[in-house]
Amino acid sequence: MEGIFRQYLAVYRPLITRLNQLLEPHGLSYSLWQVIFYIEREGPSTLVEISNYYGVEKPSITRRVHRLEEQDLVEQIPGQDRRVKVIRLTEAGDSVYRECREKISGLEREVMEGIGKGEQELLHRLLPEVRKNLMRKGGAGDEA
């Protein structure tokens, strides 16, 4: 189906703008939120694990982690291999995650208003498949 990318981008850009506005009072952007979200969901993680998941270069994730460390939202803990940095949320990071997650859930409800539950479930099932196809074909992940 032609035009699917245009339709996706027409949603993506305003969504990222809204997310950044929502996260800004917490000193976050969507790109910083991605790191917090990943660690909350997956537990203490390495820079490589986070960068591989998002398809983003490791130095980009390293910069994000440093910014989050400056805000005392994440900390590095010793890994099995001293050369590997393991990142986990601090107590403050966990608190910020919960506050932001609640706001993001509200935004999700707002933008899905008027869309039937079955259609929402279909979209929820299809978007990860599209992402998997992009990642399998060697494409970049989510850089925002």
Side-chain angles (χ1 to χ4, degrees):
M1 171 184 294
E2 287 188 33
I4 191 88
F5 297 144
R6 182 178 41 81
Q7 292 289 339
Y8 171 77
L9 291 172
V11 170
Y12 177 80
R13 301 242 183 256
L15 177 60
I16 295 302
T17 298
R18 290 281 301 273
L19 284 168
N20 282 331
Q21 291 168 347
L22 186 145
L23 295 166
E24 193 272 330
H26 300 277
L28 299 174
S29 63
Y30 179 65
S31 63
L32 295 175
W33 168 255
Q34 287 180 306
V35 174
I36 291 172
F37 178 80
Y38 182 87
I39 295 169
E40 170 62 28
R41 193 179 64 203
E42 300 297 327
S45 304
T46 66
L47 296 170
V48 171
E49 290 168 335
I50 299 167
S51 66
N52 286 344
Y53 179 79
Y54 288 114
V56 176
E57 296 294 320
K58 186 180 163 203
S60 177
I61 297 299
T62 300
R63 285 189 297 275
R64 294 176 195 186
V65 165
H66 286 312
R67 290 200 42 212
L68 292 168
E69 282 179 312
E70 289 170 1
Q71 294 175 282
D72 193 36
L73 299 178
V74 300
E75 61 187 355
Q76 295 184 33
I77 57 174
Q80 291 179 354
D81 181 339
R82 290 183 193 268
R83 297 170 294 175
V84 176
K85 295 178 181 179
V86 177
I87 313 303
R88 72 173 174 196
L89 292 180
T90 62
E91 197 172 309
D94 191 52
S95 176
V96 165
Y97 169 82
R98 285 193 307 277
E99 288 178 41
C100 292
R101 183 66 252 179
E102 193 173 307
K103 291 179 180 182
I104 291 170
S105 293
L107 177 61
E108 287 175 343
R109 287 189 297 275
E110 178 186 326
V111 301
M112 298 306 281
E113 194 173 305
I115 299 172
K117 188 165 181 70
E119 291 169 307
Q120 290 182 38
E121 289 170 358
L122 179 62
L123 184 61
H124 194 264
R125 203 171 63 246
L126 292 177
L127 286 176
E129 291 299 316
V130 171
R131 181 183 190 276
K132 185 169 58 175
N133 288 342
L134 282 168
M135 298 300 280
R136 186 176 62 235
K137 306 286 192 246
D142 204 353
E143 292 195 17

